[in-house]
Structure formats: structure tokens, C-alpha cells
């Protein structure tokens, strides 16, 4: 009901104030109070419906204001959520925060954040992070997943590494570091897992994107 939303917001606030005043006047007559509260509920619901119609307009305005920064924010928030939930080798963290991040930005710019291409990119990121989590040598299923990742993940990463295309040597160098990390995991070696610092971009709060609880508050 912020005044900045114009006359409709003022009308809604005035209507709510009037209904509450009537409730106070009519108390303790329960039927009259109930009738007034029903009126208040109708006014609130009508205003809620109006605000829902405003949502797309406000989002489009914000997207236009952000411009290209929106793609970087989208990619940073998504990748930070994945690397923030896992420990990863330093080489993998650097890869995700550099060439892979820039590739994600390009995918968002070309296809949008609701596209299949973007969802595939996020899925590949999760597969990469999962593939460098330690697996016990006695875990047959885990070892099989590592084998599949070793065979399939490098090609999948190469196809989506848009930021280095068409430089095949640069792509091979970046993927080689990932393959080395996968190989070390298969051998049961210490991967030097660490907590990666989040990707920082203009417009993103230091503490990251607000949680659902923050937004509700």
C-alpha cells in the first residue's frame, strides 16, 4: 500500500482505515463487526488482485533497468547456490567462477533464464560438483557414477563452454583440469576440498540473494 503506487493504493488504504474505524464503532455488536470485517476482507482481496496484475509490469521495468547486469546476476546467484552447498577442489572452484560463469552469462543472454538451455547448464554444474565429492572405494554405485562422469562430463562441459569457443586449445586446457580432478577422485586421492568464495557481481548483496524467509518478512 505504498503511496508511490498512486491513487489506487491510497484508496485501498483509506478503505481499510474506514473499515477498521467502523469495527471500533460497532464493537461489541458481533454481527455488525463481522459485516464490517467481511467488507475489509473484500477490500484487501481486491487490492491483492490489483497488485498481482502489477507484478509483470514491475518485473519488466526492473529487467529493463538492469539490462545486461541481469544476466550476470542470474548466473551468479544460481552458481553460488550450488558451490555454496558443497566443498569443491580449488581448481573446480576457479573453473566455475571464471570460464564457466561467463558461459552461463552468455546462455542467459541468448536463451533466457526460463530456457531449456539454461536448465541444462545448471544441471551440468550440479553434475560437476557431485562428481568431485569423495566416494568410498567400497561404494560400487558411487564408483560407477564416477566412471560415467569421467566418460561423459568432459564432452558435456566442452559443448556448453561458450566463453572459450571457438578456441579449442583453451577449452581443452580448462577441461583437462576437470578431468584431472575426476581422475584423482576415482583413485581415492585427497582432492583438497575447500569452501569456495561466492561469485561477486555488481548489484548482488555481500550476503547473497535474499532467502524465501527474508522475502516473506
Amino acid at each position: 500500500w505504498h503511496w508511490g503506487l498512486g491513487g489506487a493504493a491510497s484508496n485501498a488504504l483509506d478503505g481499510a482505515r474506514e473499515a477498521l474505524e467502523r469495527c471500533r464503532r460497532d464493537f461489541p455488536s458481533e454481527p455488525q463487526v463481522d459485516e464490517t470485517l467481511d467488507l475489509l476482507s473484500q477490500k484487501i482481496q481486491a487490492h491483492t488482485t490489483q497488485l498481482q496484475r502489477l507484478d509483470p509490469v514491475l518485473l519488466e521495468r526492473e529487467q529493463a533497468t538492469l539490462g545486461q547486469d541481469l544476466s550476470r546476476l542470474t548466473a551468479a546467484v544460481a552458481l553460488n547456490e550450488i558451490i555454496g552447498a558443497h566443498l569443491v577442489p580449488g581448481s573446480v572452484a576457479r573453473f566455475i567462477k571464471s570460464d564457466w560463469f561467463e558461459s552461463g552469462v552468455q546462455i542467459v543472454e541468448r536463451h533466457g533464464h526460463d530456457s531449456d538451455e539454461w536448465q541444462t547448464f545448471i544441471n551440468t554444474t550440479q553434475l560437476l560438483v557431485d562428481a568431485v565429492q569423495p566416494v568410498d572405494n567400497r561404494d560400487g554405485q558411487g564408483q560407477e557414477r564416477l566412471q560415467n562422469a569421467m566418460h561423459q562430463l568432459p564432452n558435456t562441459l566442452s559443448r556448453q563452454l561458450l566463453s572459450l569457443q571457438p578456441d579449442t586449445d583453451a577449452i581443452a586446457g580448462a577441461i583437462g583440469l576437470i578431468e584431472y580432478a575426476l581422475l584423482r577422485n576415482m583413485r581415492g586421492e585427497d582432492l583438497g576440498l575447500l569452501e569456495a568464495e561466492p561469485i561477486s557481481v555488481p548489484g548482488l548483496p555481500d550476503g547473497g540473494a535474499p532467502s524465501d524467509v527474508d522475502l516473506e518478512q
Side-chain angles (χ1 to χ4, degrees):
W1 293 344
H2 193 271
W3 62 267
L5 289 176
S10 299
N11 292 338
L13 186 56
D14 290 340
R17 184 183 292 112
E18 178 186 348
L20 290 171
E21 285 295 329
R22 285 181 57 181
C23 284
R24 191 173 63 85
R25 260 195 330 267
D26 296 337
F27 184 82
S29 173
E30 290 187 11
Q32 287 180 287
V33 171
D34 288 343
E35 180 182 347
T36 304
L37 289 177
D38 286 341
L39 177 62
L40 174 60
S41 296
Q42 292 172 21
K43 289 181 179 293
I44 290 175
Q45 184 56 50
H47 190 54
T48 299
T49 301
Q50 182 186 18
L51 290 177
Q52 289 172 343
R53 288 197 298 267
L54 280 174
D55 284 349
V57 178
L58 295 174
L59 287 172
E60 288 174 8
R61 184 187 304 169
E62 187 68 13
Q63 288 173 351
T65 301
L66 288 170
Q68 292 184 338
D69 289 343
L70 181 61
S71 300
R72 304 190 71 80
L73 281 166
T74 300
V77 168
L79 295 183
N80 283 343
E81 183 177 347
I82 294 175
I83 63 176
H86 304 81
L87 298 178
V88 295
S91 58
V92 173
R94 287 189 293 273
F95 169 78
I96 291 176
K97 294 170 61 176
S98 55
D99 299 325
W100 191 245
F101 165 65
E102 295 297 338
S103 298
V105 171
Q106 291 189 31
I107 290 175
V108 175
E109 288 178 344
R110 293 183 188 182
H111 304 286
H113 64 275
D114 291 326
S115 64
D116 292 339
E117 289 82 358
W118 172 245
Q119 187 57 54
T120 299
F121 176 84
I122 293 301
N123 292 342
T124 302
T125 308
Q126 188 65 59
L127 287 174
L128 169 59
V129 170
D130 290 342
V132 291
Q133 302 306 304
V135 176
D136 193 288
N137 290 331
R138 294 165 294 183
D139 183 354
Q141 291 184 338
Q143 289 296 325
E144 184 177 353
R145 287 196 299 271
L146 280 182
Q147 288 279 358
N148 291 335
M150 188 69 187
H151 286 101
Q152 300 175 12
L153 196 53
N155 288 333
T156 302
L157 292 169
S158 298
R159 288 194 301 270
Q160 298 177 59
L161 203 51
L162 303 186
S163 63
L164 297 181
Q165 294 177 3
D167 190 339
T168 54
D169 289 340
I171 292 175
I175 298 302
L177 294 175
I178 301 301
E179 290 178 315
Y180 181 61
L182 295 176
L183 185 60
R184 292 185 63 190
N185 198 17
M186 291 177 62
R187 292 173 176 170
E189 299 178 8
D190 182 8
L191 297 175
L193 300 180
L194 52 80
E195 184 176 342
E197 290 291 328
I199 299 167
S200 177
V201 296
L204 184 64
D206 292 337
S211 67
D212 290 342
V213 174
D214 293 331
L215 294 173
E216 287 176 4
Q217 291 174 346

